[in-house]
Amino acid sequence: MRTTLKRGVGRGAALGGTDSGPASSAVLAPVAIYQQPAAAVRSRSSLVLRILGWAALVLAVVAGGTAGGAYLYVHESVAAVAPKSVEVKKALKALDVPLPGQPATALVIGYDRRASDAKDAPSRSDTLMLVRADPDGKTISMLSFPRDLQTEIHCPGRAVWTDKINAAYSACGAQGSLETVRQLTGVPINYIVTVNFRGFRQMVDRLGGVWMDVDRRYFNDHGGPTGYATINLQPGYQRLTGLRALDFVRFRHTDSDLYRNARQQLFVRAFKDQIETAFSITRLPQLVKVITSNVEVGQGGGKDVSAKTVLSYGALAYSLPAGHVFQSRIDGLEGFSDLTTSQENIDKAIREFRNPDVESPRKATAVALGEKIKQRVPPPRETTVTVLNGNGVEGSASTANYLLSQRGYQMVLPPNGLPANAPNYDFFRTAVYFDARTKGAKQAAGKLANLFGSADVKKLTPTVRALANDAMVVTVVGQTFHGRLASAPVDQTPQKQEAAVVSGAGAVTSLLRAHRREVDFPLMVPTKIERSSWIDTERPLRIYTIDPDKEHRAVRLTYRLGGRNEYWGVQMTDWEDAPVLGGRNFVRKIGGRRYELYYNGPRLHMVVLRTDGSSYWVVNSLLDRLSNETMIAIAKSLRPLATLTKQS
């Protein structure tokens, strides 16, 4: 079934209403994951520099012009990225106007022109992505669209036709991409960001390259105007120049856009690490020049994005809790050069994009390790709620009561037949009162407040308690309630699976023995491997110098999944400060050994074992095909080569 959506049929209502958002955009929405330092005071220059890095990362998401946010440095730079091209200016008229305090969504288009193209030939959209910033939920969500995805193309003034989604940009420019994505998803779009690919290469080079984990050997020496780009990359964690990074994220010589999107999202995380470790004030002038030459940013309502707006959402970036950046994926894609999937898979990806589950990594860890999932917030079925009218609008309490009951909350009416009215109608903001005597009531009130958007959480007062009828929470709807609730997060807790592993020491033991004297740290053998896998025949083992100072060595084992053009690996090194190791989600002690867990949403992407000054990483495939349980089982099976040698 093709992923099409008929003209005039939107998904907004089915997916929980609109998302007209705040004065922010993808280029303003950060994608770095940092814990805010304890220090309460920061210099203005320090704050601005950090914001530059986060905004830069969002454009890295689209693999083009990767530091759009650096224009925050001065007001003149903000003005320099205002829309200049006729096509982008036309697209602005169709954008949804952002509303203060609400989530905002940006469409980011990465495009390129080749030297072989004719002068008047249209540019191609090589990357298409939605980025959503939610100031209340403190989350950033990203959703990529494969360029070969078959869908209806909507261009102003032309009949609808079915083609690859990137045809919209070639045929109708930014207007075509905007309308096509909006019709496909039903998501209101508040901002548009266009980025030239040449900015991608320049930005990576200005930062001194980017450290990335390359999953396998990439090689193609047959280039030219009608062929694929040449590429020559070895597997393993390494620093890539702008050109080589571009080769990696755009490669599709032996796979499809499904994998290309995964490589681009992998680049996002890698670029975040690079921003954190390599950005400096001395690089800023060059970065700004790259950005202003390659980026255009426009917002709904026709006004240029202001420096004040950018800085305010840079502050949101600064306060993002760890793990609050989400990368949604369209599942069920079939085909190679033409990709199709069902409407159901598109809808599922959109729901996850608009309603990310911030608890998914924690819950996934508990499931994989057999831990009891602690309910930090009582679920709706265990939360009793009384709703009162605090704005004087007839039917407000009844509407809120019904909407909450549809979400599974246990609704309670005021006692003794009293009307569901608050002590007065002077509530501007909705107020959610909790019974401090009831365990979990405060957390439940906070969750309810998020559903109402602009709401205050307070302790239950004697006056309101008299109307509570013993409910855990009392919600007094104010003037800010307009008859709808925010969308609830999509529960992404994975099902428990048996680890899909078999004995695998024989795949690499002799290979490692032959090279063990080439490194100064102990080598480890994965004695369990994913059951369909075997060591890669093209580049099974790589031993190389890894860090910028050439003081540390690394070993990479590459395994190929059976029946797939996908690879997972084991990385070993005595470089303990590799940038990628700074973004762990959790630490768990299993069988007396300490493991660090790194997630992509609910999917475990990397498990790291540190011992005796060295680290050993089990790295999932690009699409995280190995289950969480399988990843942990492989990491647990790591055994010193010396031990296995003695046993044999």
Side-chain angles (χ1 to χ4, degrees), residues 42 110 434 441 540 591 612 620:
R42 302 178 181 87
F434 64 92
D612 298 326
N620 212 330

Side-chain angles (χ1 to χ4, degrees), residues 102 120 149 158 167 214 252 280 282 325 422 532 610 625 629:
Q102 298 299 312
D120 297 327
L149 179 68
R158 297 179 59 174
V214 178
R252 62 188 192 120
S280 68
T282 59
V325 176
S532 73
R610 294 181 189 257
R625 297 284 193 190
E629 291 81 1

